[in-house]
Amino acid sequence: MGRQAAAVAEADALGFVAGYMLFNDLSARDLQFSTPQWMSGKVFDGSAPCGPALVTPDEAGAADAIEIELA
């Protein structure tokens, strides 16, 4: 957020992470596979719920040790 990035070296990539958020990619498979254009199954309201919070890297800890638990 506030920093643009392109072709960032892997070693520098985490410096561009604003935070982490849960994201659920929902698709209407019947619509998605009804045409060669797969986007039709991903553009309806509620198809990509996320949040409710963004956790900053300092709150999350080491990127390779983040655990996600859903209740």
Side-chain angles (χ1 to χ4, degrees), residues 16-39:
F16 290 87
V17 173
Y20 304 94
M21 178 185 300
L22 292 179
F23 180 87
N24 194 356
D25 180 11
L26 302 175
S27 299
R29 297 287 187 211
D30 55 339
L31 294 174
Q32 185 177 1
F33 296 129
S34 66
T35 71
Q37 189 54 257
W38 57 269
M39 281 296 294

Side-chain angles (χ1 to χ4, degrees), residues 7 12 19 21 30 39 44 47 52 59 61-62 65-66 69:
D12 300 326
M21 178 185 300
D30 55 339
M39 281 296 294
F44 56 93
S47 65
E59 293 174 300
I66 295 173
E69 182 178 318

Side-chain angles (χ1 to χ4, degrees), residues 3-9 16:
R3 290 180 68 194
Q4 293 185 0
V8 174
F16 290 87

Side-chain angles (χ1 to χ4, degrees), residues 41-56:
K42 295 185 173 283
V43 295
F44 56 93
D45 287 344
S47 65
C50 62
L54 178 76
V55 178
T56 60

